Amino acid sequence: MSDKLVQVEHLKQYFSAGGLGKSKKYVKAVDDVSFHIDRGETLGLVGESGCGKTTTGRTLLRLYEPTEGRIIYDDQVIFEKMPGGKRTAADMLPYRKKMQIVFQDPYASLDPRMTVGDIVGEPIDIHKLAGSKQERYDRIIELLQRVGLNSEHANRYPHEFSGGQRQRVGIARALAVNPEFIVCDEPISALDVSIQAQVINMFEDLQEQLGLTYLFIAHDLSVVKHISNRIGVMYLGKMVELADSYELTEHSLHPYTKSLISAIPIADPEVARANKRIVLEGDVPSPLNPPSGCRFRTRCPYADEKCACEVPEWREAEKNHYVACHHLDKCN
Amino acid sequence: MNEYLVEIENERLSFFTPAGEVKALNDVTIRLREGEVLGIVGESGSGKSVTAYSLMGLTAHPGKLIGGTLDFNGHRINDMTEKEMRRMRGNEVAIIFQDPMTSLNPVYTIGNQIEEVILLHTDKKKKEARARAKELLELVGINEPEKRLKQYPHELSGGMRQRVMIAIALACEPKLLIADEPTTALDVTIQAQILELMMELKHKLGMAIIMITHDLGIVANICEKIAVMYAGRIVEYGTADEIFYDPKHEYTKGLLRSIPRLDATKHERLIPIEGTPIDMLNPPAGCPFAPRCGQCMKICLREMPPVTEFGEIHYTQCWLNQKQMMEGEAANE
Ligand SMILES: Nc1ncnc2c1ncn2[C@@H]1O[C@H](COP(=O)(O)OP(=O)(O)OP(=O)(O)O)[C@@H](O)[C@H]1O
Ligand SMILES: Nc1ncnc2c1ncn2[C@@H]1O[C@H](COP(=O)(O)OP(=O)(O)O)[C@@H](O)[C@H]1O
Ligand code: SF4
Ligand code: SF4
Ligand SMILES: [Mg+2]
Ligand SMILES: [Mg+2]
């Protein structure tokens, strides 16, 4: 058994965006991304809206059919299609129990006509995890208690709950099948600041109690740093940097990561007054028509001709610190 | 002359909904000088937007101002007619919203929309208005302004649309700009651009800003004064340094403890504020924060806390602060 629970190699997810034959257009939502997640660890994924975080999470769960690449879960290949090679795809049913997802929007992701008990009970029914009605009920109550709710909540409907409570229900539902791995897609972004800390602590407690492994997606780097062991940074479908959380926030190597970090307003007036911000020019280009070479080059202060022609290689620049940039010497 | 540009005294405002009276604002007091930046922070539903909109005479049905006085730039808002308020809006005070798409008209070009505002509020002619529109786009840092004037909102990115909204808001050089979560829908690198732009314009044009946000990082970065709202009340008011380095109210302290910091050097468990936000239809009798407060005393459950003043600007509404203040005074005598 290796330490790696999830391995993603050269993953590509292209969505068709109209056009026919040769003029067929694609959104390269995820384009040649490689990383792994260790057992029991939290890998954070950050980047700006539309950069491919959600798509990466959903593709590795095979909620989308990957365009290309290899996905290995617990040493088993669950998908493989490399250029020139043949396609291998495992039956996902047994994996659906091990791999779960929690969504961003606690309002939209719960069926308003079902009681909270039935929402949490649904996966128990689908996977036939309870032998009797009593067993099913006990399991539901246990799950609700795990996420800080109680038996009285089981007969109520989602609209009777606050945002933070609904997010707890979504997590209880994900936990119903005893998963090992959970993709958490912006699970706290819709919550009030005073509630976010409660939910973050709950994620940490559950991980400790149940030995869970997380892919934690969020655009708030402060939150991601707090909860993650390692962090990957995406830009326009590419992973640009990946390292230990402290390493990444204190010694980032990639110019995009640096500007992202400096753009985050720190909640401390003195630090704010002292900060010299790197303000990036321009907007994120369209993923339908990404820049050639390095995708960050249209906003990068160090870009040159090489950046326009060649895609920078994804490499381990320092031990366990991966980055894709031609000119690390110039930017650091 | 009044020394304040904005002076709201004990504002009370309720929404009379079919389910009952929602007391959205209770004894809200705000004073702001020309050129100052005030941040209003608080959770969703705490009354941030309602406070700011009422100052522009924009209270939505079934809302009603039921007490207090609102003064802005020499006007008593309470006594103004709708027509007078319409003149004031756009001329003296302007607003930008979270989602620029909902405030821009999709069927008109950017140029048309900026010119319309200029023609409405100034006596500029069509041609001058066009020139001014171009100038404004340059002012807010939009490149190729000639080209942008001819484009429609959907052809611009979110950050550019927000710049256009700011350009429209600035068309008449207002004394006060109200920004309601102006960067919530934007990415952080674009947010940094917009905040930078707002600060630059403040210095250039000397306008005051009311920044509504739930992001403590934003207020720490751009605001001189901060109002912390909870359940329709300003529970603490002070300078940025007072709020961040010497918070007095339990809710403010709790908020500051609960956020993870990017510059943290080791993992420390977050200390959340327990419980859930209150139901505004059935608020508790005394202090609205009492159900979640670790320092709650008997009196907090019965009576609304009075104002405790710590300095010229800094005040809270909390029984514990009141008690400490009185004990302190007694000790000094
Ligand atoms: N089903 C789909 N069909 C076509 N394009 C899609 C689809 N899903 C995502 N995309 C596109 O793929 C890109 C990446 O989207 P994704 O949802 O992964 O972004 P994200 O990083 O999660 O962004 P956000 O922070 O806004 O959630 C975007 O350009 C998006 O418009
Ligand atoms: N049009 C309306 N009808 C009824 N209640 C409203 C209306 N607008 C706001 N409220 C209520 O007033 C309170 C304050 O709202 P608001 O100022 O929008 O909060 P925020 O602090 O999120 O900006 C909330 O309880 C909200 O539900
Ligand atoms: S490869 Fe070139 S454009 Fe890309 S980040 Fe590095 S220096 Fe900038
Ligand atoms: S008044 Fe009482 S309950 Fe309210 S914040 Fe102060 S100590 Fe806590
Ligand atoms: Mg997403
Ligand atoms: Mg609001």
Side-chain angles (χ1 to χ4, degrees):
Chain A
M1 203 169 82
S2 87
D3 289 342
K4 294 175 179 154
L5 184 63
V6 179
Q7 287 166 265
V8 171
E9 291 164 17
H10 306 289
L11 189 68
K12 291 185 185 175
Q13 182 63 62
Y14 294 179
F15 294 110
S16 140
L20 286 169
K22 280 224 173 75
S23 62
K24 207 165 155 92
K25 281 194 191 151
Y26 292 98
V27 178
K28 300 181 174 179
V30 175
D31 199 11
D32 197 1
V33 162
S34 302
F35 60 89
H36 72 266
I37 311 174
D38 284 330
R39 236 172 259 283
E41 116 168 302
T42 301
L43 177 71
L45 209 49
V46 293
E48 306 190 83
S49 175
C51 71
K53 307 181 294 293
T54 300
T55 307
T56 301
R58 299 184 134 243
T59 307
L60 84 82
L61 294 180
R62 288 196 42 215
L63 296 173
Y64 295 143
E65 169 73 12
T67 307
E68 218 175 272
R70 184 185 293 127
I71 306 167
I72 301 170
Y73 184 83
D74 206 3
D75 296 332
Q76 306 289 314
V77 174
I78 59 173
F79 181 85
E80 177 166 330
K81 183 168 177 271
M82 294 310 234
K86 73 173 197 349
R87 178 178 175 279
T88 323
D91 168 21
M92 283 305 284
L93 191 64
Y95 294 99
R96 292 274 168 255
K97 269 201 306 195
K98 299 177 177 172
M99 308 165 88
Q100 282 289 313
I101 183 163
V102 172
F103 300 97
Q104 164 166 10
D105 188 349
Y107 300 88
S109 59
L110 304 178
D111 186 336
R113 291 155 307 180
M114 282 167 77
T115 64
V116 160
D118 284 335
I119 289 172
V120 176
E122 194 179 43
I124 300 179
D125 304 338
I126 292 174
H127 292 280
K128 304 195 176 60
L129 297 174
S132 66
K133 269 205 146 159
Q134 185 61 40
E135 201 182 317
R136 176 182 187 271
Y137 178 80
D138 291 345
R139 177 79 179 128
I140 290 169
I141 304 305
E142 182 206 323
L143 287 162
L144 289 178
Q145 285 169 347
R146 264 216 188 282
V147 297
L149 300 171
N150 59 50
S151 55
E152 284 159 35
H153 292 119
N155 293 322
R156 299 213 215 142
Y157 290 87
H159 73 263
E160 300 173 58
F161 289 81
S162 68
Q165 287 173 320
R166 285 185 233 208
Q167 199 54 283
R168 289 170 194 269
V169 173
I171 295 159
R173 176 178 58 185
L175 293 176
V177 295
N178 278 325
E180 303 166 331
F181 173 62
I182 303 181
V183 173
C184 312
D185 190 3
E186 305 259 9
I188 59 156
S189 309
L191 305 178
D192 265 315
V193 183
S194 81
I195 304 301
Q196 290 189 357
Q198 295 177 3
V199 178
I200 293 171
N201 283 355
M202 183 186 59
F203 272 110
E204 290 184 341
D205 293 343
L206 290 171
Q207 180 164 50
E208 211 182 290
Q209 293 158 8
L210 306 171
L212 297 170
T213 304
Y214 294 140
L215 178 66
F216 196 96
I217 300 172
H219 60 266
D220 183 340
L221 186 55
S222 315
V223 168
V224 171
K225 177 189 178 184
H226 175 84
I227 199 161
S228 308
N229 303 86
R230 291 184 304 139
I231 300 175
V233 181
M234 291 186 73
Y235 186 81
L236 265 184
K238 290 277 188 191
M239 191 80 89
V240 297
E241 187 163 7
L242 194 157
D244 167 85
S245 303
Y246 291 94
E247 171 76 11
L248 188 106
T249 47
E250 274 145 48
H251 309 288
S252 59
L253 297 172
H254 196 281
Y256 174 64
T257 313
K258 286 176 196 283
S259 54
L260 190 66
I261 289 169
S262 103
I264 294 166
I266 306 270
D268 185 331
E270 260 168 36
V271 175
R273 284 189 283 262
N275 251 9
K276 192 77 203 88
R277 203 160 270 148
I278 317 168
V279 175
L280 278 184
E281 303 274 316
D283 284 308
V284 185
S286 155
L288 255 178
N289 196 6
S292 63
C294 172
R295 292 194 178 177
F296 184 54
R297 71 176 166 84
T298 52
R299 299 171 81 196
C300 179
Y302 308 99
D304 66 7
E305 252 164 61
K306 187 174 182 194
C307 306
C309 312
E310 283 175 46
V311 177
E313 182 198 359
W314 179 241
R315 64 192 177 88
E316 192 170 7
E318 290 165 17
K319 195 167 166 19
N320 297 325
H321 192 149
Y322 296 82
V323 61
C325 169
H326 291 306
H327 302 303
L328 287 182
D329 42 340
K330 257 203 288 182
C331 341
N332 285 285
Chain B
M1 214 192 93
N2 196 328
E3 64 175 309
Y4 295 108
L5 178 68
V6 175
E7 191 164 13
I8 300 177
E9 292 284 344
N10 298 314
E11 175 175 11
R12 288 193 291 126
L13 190 155
S14 288
F15 288 93
F16 294 90
T17 71
E21 179 183 356
V22 175
K23 295 184 175 172
L25 299 182
N26 304 283
D27 291 317
V28 166
T29 296
I30 287 175
R31 299 190 189 94
L32 189 67
R33 288 177 216 274
E34 285 193 14
E36 272 184 342
V37 183
L38 166 72
I40 306 183
V41 291
E43 34 207 275
S44 104
S46 58
K48 307 181 295 292
S49 304
V50 171
T51 306
Y53 297 174
S54 67
L55 187 61
M56 297 181 74
L58 288 176
T59 299
H61 178 80
K64 245 182 105 110
L65 188 62
I66 51 176
T69 53
L70 287 78
D71 291 302
F72 166 68
N73 202 25
H75 308 287
R76 164 102 359 146
I77 306 291
N78 308 57
D79 303 336
M80 284 170 90
T81 63
E82 180 50 39
K83 198 170 154 214
E84 288 166 331
M85 280 195 284
R86 228 176 295 136
R87 253 202 78 75
M88 174 187 84
R89 292 197 286 267
N91 268 327
E92 298 162 61
V93 49
I95 188 159
I96 52 176
F97 299 96
Q98 173 170 343
D99 183 1
M101 212 46 191
T102 56
S103 3
L104 288 170
N105 190 327
V107 301
Y108 291 106
T109 63
I110 300 299
N112 284 146
Q113 301 191 50
I114 306 180
E115 282 161 38
E116 189 193 288
V117 177
I118 298 169
L119 292 174
L120 190 72
H121 290 287
T122 66
D123 33 66
K124 285 200 166 64
K125 300 276 169 324
K126 183 98 181 124
K127 221 175 127 202
E128 294 165 329
R130 175 118 269 198
R132 175 79 179 134
K134 182 170 165 243
E135 231 174 73
L136 284 165
L137 286 187
E138 276 164 4
L139 182 68
V140 298
I142 288 186
N143 50 20
E144 303 178 274
E146 291 280 11
K147 179 177 139 197
R148 302 299 177 193
L149 286 171
K150 296 188 197 107
Q151 287 183 319
Y152 292 87
H154 72 263
E155 297 177 72
L156 306 185
S157 69
M160 254 196 271
R161 277 183 225 135
Q162 199 54 290
R163 284 174 193 265
V164 169
M165 283 310 299
I166 297 176
I168 292 175
L170 296 179
C172 305
E173 303 191 358
K175 291 240 166 171
L176 172 67
L177 176 68
I178 295 174
D180 192 355
E181 309 256 5
T183 59
T184 307
L186 304 176
D187 283 315
V188 275
T189 60
I190 309 298
Q191 165 174 292
Q193 294 173 356
I194 298 291
L195 293 178
E196 181 117 324
L197 169 68
M198 289 178 66
M199 287 303 99
E200 205 183 291
L201 294 171
K202 169 197 129 88
H203 290 302
K204 228 186 250 173
L205 311 174
M207 64 185 174
I209 298 176
I210 295 182
M211 174 62 116
I212 298 173
T213 174
H214 58 267
D215 186 332
L216 290 166
I218 293 179
V219 290
N221 275 257
I222 71 166
C223 300
E224 297 149 61
K225 306 269 166 65
I226 297 169
V228 182
M229 292 194 77
Y230 190 81
R233 292 181 183 271
I234 295 182
V235 293
E236 183 156 7
Y237 189 91
T239 64
D241 285 13
E242 283 163 346
I243 296 293
F244 279 93
Y245 303 130
D246 191 20
K248 302 284 191 195
H249 195 281
E250 292 304 308
Y251 176 64
T252 315
K253 290 186 199 169
L255 266 189
L256 292 171
R257 270 198 304 261
S258 70
I259 47 168
R261 280 181 60 145
L262 188 62
D263 53 358
T265 50
K266 65 175 196 296
H267 183 95
E268 275 178 58
R269 193 173 166 83
L270 299 178
I271 306 169
I273 299 177
E274 296 302 339
T276 51
I278 68 161
D279 172 5
M280 291 288 277
L281 264 174
N282 301 296
C287 168
F289 190 59
R292 305 174 72 184
C293 180
Q295 303 291 327
C296 180
M297 302 171 290
K298 270 195 198 134
I299 189 164
C300 307
L301 298 170
R302 280 199 315 269
E303 266 178 73
M304 197 55 82
V307 170
T308 309
E309 288 181 1
F310 293 95
E312 199 192 334
I313 296 161
H314 196 183
Y315 73 80
T316 62
Q317 294 195 33
C318 167
W319 279 115
L320 185 68
N321 291 160
Q322 184 73 13
K323 187 169 158 243
Q324 286 162 340
M325 181 64 86
M326 285 166 74
E327 283 165 4
E329 272 167 19
N332 286 340
E333 271 166 25

